[in-house]
Amino acid sequence: MSPHLLEVRNLSVEFHTLHGQVKAVQGVSFHLDPGETLVILGESGSGKSVSASAVMNLIDMPPGEITSGEVLYRGKSLLEMPSEERRAINGARIAMIFQDPLAHLNPVYSVGWQIIEMMTTHGMPSDQAKRRAIELLGRVGIPDPEVRMKAYPHQFSGGQRQRLMIAMALALKPDILIADEPTTALDVTVQAQILALLKELQLETGMGLLLITHDLGVVAEVADNVVVMNAGEIVETGPAAEVYANPQHPYTKRLIAAAPGSGEMAEPLAASGQPLLRLENVTKNFGTIEALKDVSLTVMPGEIVAIVGESGSGKSTLAKTLLRLEEPTSGAAFYNGRDLFQMSPKELFGIRREIQMVFQDPTQSLNPRMSVYELISEAWAIHPEILPKVKWRDRVAELLELVGLSADHARRYPHQFSGGQRQRIAIARVLALEPKLVVCDEAVSALDVSIQAQVIDLLEGLRNEFGLSYIFIAHDLPVVRDFADRVVVMQQGRIVEEGTVREIFETPRDDYTRALLAASLDPDPAVQAKRRAARLEMEAARP
Amino acid sequence: MRHFIGKRAFASGLSLIGLVVLVFFLSRLTGDPTALFLPLDASLDSRERFRELHGLNDPLLVQFAHYVWDILNLDFGDSIRKARPALEVVLAAFQWTLILALTTIFFVTTSAIIIGSLAAFYAGGIFDRVATFLSLIGASAPDFWIAIVAIVLFSVNLGWLPTSGTGTIWHWIMPVAVLFIRPFGLVLQVVRGSMMTALSSAYVKTARAKGVRVRPIIFVHALRNALLPVITVIGDLSAGMLNGAVVVETIFGFPGVGKLMIDSILQRDFTVVLAAIMVSAMAIFLMNLLIDIAYSVLDPRIRY
C-alpha cells in the first residue's frame, strides 16, 4: 500500500506557559489523500490550528514542544528532516492560507512581489515567476491582474485578499493546501465564492485540502471527511455526511445540536400600542459616501428586530447613529415619541441609560484595568439615581448570577475570563443600567457555537423576563432565524427588504435577500448539497 | 508627493517665521541691545555710535522690518569678533558638525539595526542578553564623563589618539565614538522592541509557511515593517546632533556649531548666535522633511 499524502500519527504538542505545561494537542492522528478534503472541526482551544501548525513547522519552540508523534509527507518524516529540506517543502509542496488575510499579507510589499517571492524563493527565475503570478491573479478572479500586481494588500477588499493568499499558496502547485479558517472573517456571499474557488482549484490540481474550521456549515459545504476535535483530542472522525447524520460522541452531538438555524421561528407579535423606537428617513453621509440612505424602521416594546447585511451595508453605522455616537445627516429617531436627534446633550444623558449597546469584541469593549465589580458598578457612578452605593455590591452579585456567572467573579479582571464569559460581563454591565432597548452589534459573532447558543438563550430569557427590546445586528443568518421576531435586510446603506422571520426566510422577495440566503451555509450536508445546486443554478441563470 | 512636500514646507515655513519673530523680540526684551552687543565697559559715546550705526534709534517695527529684510537676503551682519559675515562663520562651523553628525548617525543606524534585529530574532538568548546589557550601559552613560575618561586613557596614557582638534582621521575617532554610545543604546532598544513585534506578526508566519529563508524573513519581511518607530527616534537624535554636540565639541576642541554657539554667547557675538540659530533651524526642517519622505517610502499605507 502506498503511503498517504499526509499522515499525522499520535501527535502531541505542549506549550510551556507561566501557569505550567499546557497540553494543546494529545495523541492526534489523521491522514489525507490526493484530491481529498479533510476538515478539522473544533471550537477555540480545541487544538485544531496547532495540529496544522505542526505540519507547517510554524510552532515556536520554545514555548511549544512536540512531545510525541510523527508527521509523514508521502511517507517521509517531516519532523526528522534537516531544516533546509523541510524549508523547501513549505510553500512548494505543502502550502497554507489563513484567517484574516490582511494581517497575513505583508503590508509594505506589493502583492505581486509577495506572490513572485513564493516562486523565486524555491528557485524559479524571476521573469518566469512574474508571468506565472499575473496568470495566477487572473485565475483567482482579480480583475486587471497586470496592473493590480503593483497594488498593496490594503488596496484590496477582504474577499480579494483571501484570493491573493490562495493565488500565492497555489503558485507552485502544491500537493497539499492547509486552510486555517479561510472564510471566517468574510461575508457570506464572499465565503461561498472562496469555498467554491478552493473546490474548483482542487479539481484542477488534484491537491489534498486540509481545512480547519469551527463552522458546521463549512464542513457541510466542502468536506469529504471530518475530524472533530475537543480540548486537544480527536473525539470523532468519519465521512462528513455520516458524522452529521449519526454522531457517536456526546461532544459532536452537542455541537450539532447547538448549531443555529434549525430552531423554531418566532411567530409575529400581535402589533399593539406605541412603538418604542421609530426611525424616519435616517440618512448619514461621510463626505461624499452615503452610509445610510432613508432608513426607516420601528421597534415595538419587547420585540427583537434583526438587521442583517454584509460589510459596508451600513448596519453598524445605523447603530452608532441611533446612539448618537455619530451625528445623523438628516432624519428623525422617535424614542417613546421624542426625537433623539433633536435632544440636547443633557436630555440625551437621561435617555442614554435606556438604550444600551453590546459590542462584538468584549476583549476590546471592557477596560482591561478595571475589575468586573468596577466595570459593572461604574454605571451607577454615572447614573446615581438608579441605585444607592450601599447596594452596589449585592446588585453586582445578582447581575452576575443573572448572566450565568458567580458572585465571586466580581473581584476578577476581564483577561481572566473566556470570550463567552466576557460577553456575559458586557451584558451584565448593560443590564446594570436597566435599559429598555439593547443594541447588539454582532454581539455573538466572535463566540464559539456552543457559547453562542448560551448567550442567545440568555438574551432571550432577559427579553421574556424584563420585556427588553433588541436591535440585533448580525451577518450570521442562522442565528437571526432562531432569535429574531422581525428582520431588516440592508445593502449599501438602504433597507432592501423587511418582514417577519418567516417571510424573510421562507418567501424572500428581494434578489439580494435571496442571494444572502442562498450563500448561507446549512450544517446538514444533505441540505447544503441541495442549496449549493440551487445557488449554482441561480448563478448560471444570471447574465 | 510633490503636493505633500509643498504642504510640509509651508507648515515649516510658518514655524521658521515664528522663530524669527521670537528671536528678535526676545533679544529686545532682554534690555538695551547695546548692553547685549557691546562690552560692559563701553563708553556712552560708543554706545550712541553703535545705536546710530545699527538703526537702534528707529521705532521697533522699523527695526523689525530691517531685520526681516536682512534675513531674507541671508545677511545676518558681520561677526563682531571675527570681522567676517556671520553666516560665513556659522557655515564654516556647520560643515564640521554636519560631517560629525552624519558619520555618527550612519554608524548608529547600521549597527543598531543589525544588532537589534538579531537580538530580537534570538530573543532571550546569549546574543540578545549581551546586546541588551551593553546597550543599557551605553544609553545611561554620561557622555562628558566618557569623553574625559577616553582622553585620559587613549591620549594621555596610551598616546594613541590626539586629544583635540581636527586634521587627520585619528582626530575623528574619539568624538564620533563618544557621540555614538548613547544613541546606539537607545536606537538598539527601539529596533529590538519593534522587531520583536514584527517577527511575531502574522505576515512573518506567512513567510515561514512560504518557505522563505531566515535571513530574508528578518531583514526583508520584518525589518521594513519595524523601521517606522526607529526612523522617528533617529530623526529626533539627528536633530539634536545638528544643533551641535555642545559637550563633545567643547571637550574635544572640535570647531563645530555647538562650540561656536557657546563661544559666541560668551563673547556676545550676537549676529553669529542669530545666524547659527537660523542655520540649525533650517537643517532640522530639512531633516524632518526627509523623515516624512522616508516614512511614505517605507510604508505604502502612509500617503499624505
Side-chain angles (χ1 to χ4, degrees):
Chain A
M1 196 185 95
S2 68
H4 292 291
L5 183 55
L6 178 74
E7 185 171 6
V8 171
R9 274 191 210 151
N10 195 28
L11 181 75
S12 296
V13 182
E14 292 186 3
F15 285 92
H16 305 262
T17 69
L18 288 176
H19 309 289
Q21 298 285 96
V22 176
K23 290 180 176 153
V25 171
Q26 290 178 71
V28 162
S29 304
F30 57 83
H31 57 80
L32 177 74
D33 288 311
E36 181 192 347
T37 302
L38 176 69
V39 174
I40 304 183
L41 174 71
E43 299 186 294
S44 44
S46 64
K48 57 190 194 301
S49 289
V50 175
S51 310
S53 299
V55 175
M56 294 302 284
N57 193 19
L58 292 179
I59 297 175
D60 282 314
M61 300 188 241
E65 191 190 348
I66 295 178
T67 49
S68 77
E70 282 180 293
V71 180
L72 304 175
Y73 165 69
R74 294 188 184 280
K76 279 181 288 180
S77 170
L78 288 176
L79 300 181
E80 285 160 15
M81 227 173 239
S83 64
E84 178 57 25
E85 208 176 318
R86 179 85 186 261
R87 184 197 66 75
I89 287 179
N90 267 14
R93 308 294 6 119
I94 310 177
M96 186 162 181
I97 62 174
F98 304 86
Q99 188 182 347
D100 191 6
L102 180 59
H104 283 86
L105 287 164
N106 198 320
V108 300
Y109 293 100
S110 71
V111 299
W113 184 92
Q114 296 186 52
I115 296 173
I116 289 170
E117 189 203 26
M118 170 66 109
M119 294 175 266
T120 52
T121 204
H122 292 286
M124 191 187 281
S126 60
D127 51 336
Q128 193 187 337
K130 190 179 173 192
R131 279 198 303 278
R132 170 94 175 121
I134 295 170
E135 181 194 316
L136 282 161
L137 284 189
R139 177 63 195 86
V140 298
I142 303 286
D144 227 352
E146 227 157 311
V147 180
R148 298 297 270 164
M149 285 276 285
K150 295 189 198 82
Y152 292 89
H154 71 276
Q155 295 165 319
F156 292 84
S157 70
Q160 282 181 322
R161 283 180 206 130
Q162 196 56 287
R163 287 168 190 270
L164 295 170
M165 289 294 283
I166 292 172
M168 185 157 77
L170 299 185
L172 294 166
K173 302 200 171 108
D175 302 327
I176 302 168
L177 177 66
I178 302 178
D180 189 354
E181 301 268 10
T183 57
T184 302
L186 303 177
D187 282 329
V188 280
T189 53
V190 181
Q191 159 166 290
Q193 290 163 10
I194 295 287
L195 291 176
L197 176 66
L198 283 174
K199 275 306 224 186
E200 228 176 281
L201 292 167
Q202 185 183 25
L203 275 180
E204 254 174 60
T205 62
M207 66 186 176
L209 178 60
L210 178 64
L211 195 140
I212 295 158
T213 187
H214 68 281
D215 188 345
L216 275 164
V218 173
V219 179
E221 170 77 3
V222 299
D224 298 320
N225 293 303
V226 62
V227 169
V228 185
M229 285 189 73
N230 179 37
E233 293 181 62
I234 291 182
V235 297
E236 187 158 357
T237 61
E242 221 165 88
V243 170
Y244 184 83
N246 193 12
Q248 298 300 311
H249 195 275
Y251 176 77
T252 320
K253 287 180 187 163
R254 270 211 311 281
L255 207 58
I256 291 171
S262 49
E264 283 291 300
M265 282 194 266
E267 291 307 322
L269 294 179
S272 65
Q274 286 294 311
L276 182 65
L277 179 77
R278 186 160 50 89
L279 299 186
E280 278 179 8
N281 304 89
V282 176
T283 295
K284 168 75 192 172
N285 299 336
F286 293 103
T288 56
I289 297 162
E290 293 180 295
L292 294 175
K293 281 173 248 175
D294 281 335
V295 172
S296 303
L297 63 90
T298 58
V299 180
M300 302 299 287
E303 193 180 30
I304 302 172
V305 177
I307 300 177
V308 300
E310 300 188 292
S311 40
S313 63
K315 53 194 196 305
S316 288
T317 308
L318 181 63
K320 286 185 199 147
T321 310
L322 177 63
L323 292 158
R324 283 191 61 187
L325 300 174
E326 297 279 358
E327 287 299 313
T329 307
S330 67
F334 295 102
Y335 176 78
N336 277 333
R338 294 170 62 211
D339 188 356
L340 290 171
F341 295 166
Q342 301 299 329
M343 283 184 190
S344 66
K346 203 172 166 189
E347 284 174 295
L348 199 62
F349 180 78
I351 296 286
R352 273 251 159 86
R353 56 166 279 214
E354 295 183 14
I355 309 175
Q356 283 298 309
M357 189 151 172
V358 180
F359 297 90
Q360 174 171 8
D361 185 355
T363 314
Q364 285 180 33
S365 62
L366 298 175
N367 187 334
R369 297 191 201 288
M370 285 167 83
S371 70
V372 170
Y373 172 77
E374 289 168 319
L375 282 165
I376 295 175
S377 63
E378 190 188 24
W380 305 313
I382 299 167
H383 293 277
E385 73 282 5
I386 301 176
L387 200 69
K389 191 158 185 182
V390 288
K391 294 189 178 162
W392 285 10
R393 211 155 278 280
D394 292 342
R395 182 69 180 142
V396 167
E398 237 175 82
L399 285 169
L400 285 174
E401 268 157 28
L402 187 64
V403 297
L405 297 170
S406 75
D408 56 304
H409 284 142
R411 277 174 289 129
R412 298 204 204 160
Y413 288 84
H415 72 267
Q416 294 168 296
F417 295 89
S418 69
Q421 288 176 319
R422 276 183 219 142
Q423 198 61 298
R424 286 163 191 270
I425 295 167
I427 292 170
R429 179 175 65 166
V430 160
L431 292 176
L433 287 164
E434 296 166 10
K436 299 212 165 61
L437 174 63
V438 178
V439 180
C440 303
D441 189 358
E442 301 277 8
V444 297
S445 307
L447 305 177
D448 279 328
V449 188
S450 54
I451 312 290
Q452 204 173 49
Q454 291 168 13
V455 173
I456 290 287
D457 281 349
L458 169 64
L459 291 174
E460 194 152 21
L462 293 170
R463 190 263 301 255
N464 297 339
E465 199 169 334
F466 303 107
L468 296 181
S469 301
Y470 294 107
I471 291 181
F472 188 78
I473 296 170
H475 69 278
D476 189 2
L477 294 171
V479 175
V480 167
R481 181 185 173 281
D482 290 356
F483 181 53
D485 296 318
R486 260 181 335 111
V487 182
V488 171
V489 183
M490 286 188 73
Q491 185 192 20
Q492 292 174 357
R494 283 181 203 281
I495 293 180
V496 295
E497 186 166 0
E498 187 184 347
T500 64
V501 190
R502 204 172 281 285
E503 282 165 358
I504 295 288
F505 280 84
E506 289 182 353
T507 53
R509 287 163 318 210
D510 187 80
D511 281 347
Y512 179 70
T513 313
R514 279 194 214 121
L516 271 185
L517 287 170
S520 85
L521 302 175
D522 192 275
D524 185 341
V527 175
Q528 186 52 34
K530 276 184 217 145
R531 196 177 285 181
R532 181 168 58 235
R535 189 180 71 232
L536 293 176
E537 210 169 286
M538 208 164 96
E539 272 164 20
R542 211 172 288 159
Chain B
M1 182 59 102
R2 199 176 301 159
H3 175 72
F4 154 69
I5 294 177
K7 227 166 61 183
R8 287 308 307 245
F10 179 73
S12 305
L14 283 184
S15 41
L16 274 183
I17 290 172
L19 183 72
V20 165
V21 174
L22 203 68
V23 165
F24 175 81
F25 286 102
L26 274 183
S27 72
R28 293 304 186 272
L29 275 177
T30 50
D32 183 358
T34 59
L36 204 63
F37 284 92
L38 297 183
L40 283 175
D41 53 357
S43 67
L44 275 178
D45 204 32
S46 63
R47 280 176 198 274
E48 190 49 46
R49 248 186 298 122
F50 186 85
R51 281 203 187 93
E52 202 59 47
L53 190 67
H54 292 276
L56 293 176
N57 291 328
D58 295 342
L60 202 60
L61 284 179
V62 174
Q63 288 184 43
F64 182 66
H66 283 301
Y67 159 85
V68 171
W69 179 248
D70 287 346
I71 287 181
L72 287 178
N73 288 309
L74 292 180
D75 177 8
F76 294 91
D78 285 350
S79 159
I80 293 163
R81 298 282 152 180
K82 301 199 167 83
R84 277 195 295 149
L87 188 63
E88 206 181 295
V89 175
V90 170
L91 287 180
F94 188 71
Q95 277 175 24
W96 292 105
T97 295
L98 192 65
I99 298 171
L100 183 66
L102 290 183
T103 316
T104 310
I105 289 295
F106 171 78
F107 284 120
V108 167
T109 309
T110 45
S111 54
I113 284 178
I114 294 171
I115 297 173
S117 299
L118 293 175
F121 185 76
Y122 297 110
I126 293 290
F127 183 87
D128 177 37
R129 285 184 209 186
V130 172
T132 304
F133 178 70
L134 290 180
S135 76
L136 277 178
I137 289 183
S140 46
D143 50 4
F144 66 88
W145 180 79
I146 294 178
I148 291 168
V149 170
I151 290 177
V152 170
L153 185 64
F154 295 108
S155 307
V156 180
N157 289 352
L158 296 171
W160 291 351
L161 296 169
T163 55
S164 64
T166 57
T168 67
I169 189 94
W170 303 107
H171 285 93
W172 288 84
I173 291 179
M174 278 200 293
V176 169
V178 171
L179 264 184
F180 170 87
I181 290 172
R182 276 177 72 163
F184 170 72
L186 189 64
V187 177
L188 186 117
Q189 285 304 312
V190 177
V191 171
R192 183 179 174 277
S194 180
M195 278 297 279
M196 297 268 284
T197 313
L199 283 169
S200 62
S201 71
Y203 52 79
V204 163
K205 198 167 153 194
T206 308
R208 285 168 63 186
K210 279 163 83 176
V212 179
R213 289 183 175 81
V214 170
R215 208 179 305 164
I217 283 183
I218 303 175
F219 292 106
V220 178
H221 281 270
L223 183 59
R224 186 157 157 190
N225 281 282
L227 276 185
L228 292 185
V230 177
I231 287 181
T232 310
V233 174
I234 289 176
D236 195 41
L237 290 169
S238 315
M241 284 192 206
L242 287 175
N243 260 329
V246 178
V247 173
V248 168
E249 286 179 3
T250 309
I251 291 176
F252 290 106
F254 194 88
V257 86
K259 183 167 186 299
L260 176 72
M261 250 205 270
I262 292 290
D263 291 347
S264 305
I265 289 169
L266 292 175
Q267 294 167 354
R268 300 171 165 271
D269 200 343
F270 200 70
T271 52
V272 173
V273 174
L274 181 63
I277 289 173
M278 294 314 290
V279 168
S280 296
M282 263 328 268
I284 288 165
F285 155 60
L286 286 176
M287 189 73 222
N288 280 322
L289 198 61
L290 276 179
I291 290 168
D292 286 335
I293 293 172
Y295 256 81
S296 67
V297 168
L298 277 175
D299 191 341
R301 286 166 301 180
I302 299 175
R303 283 287 169 266
Y304 300 98

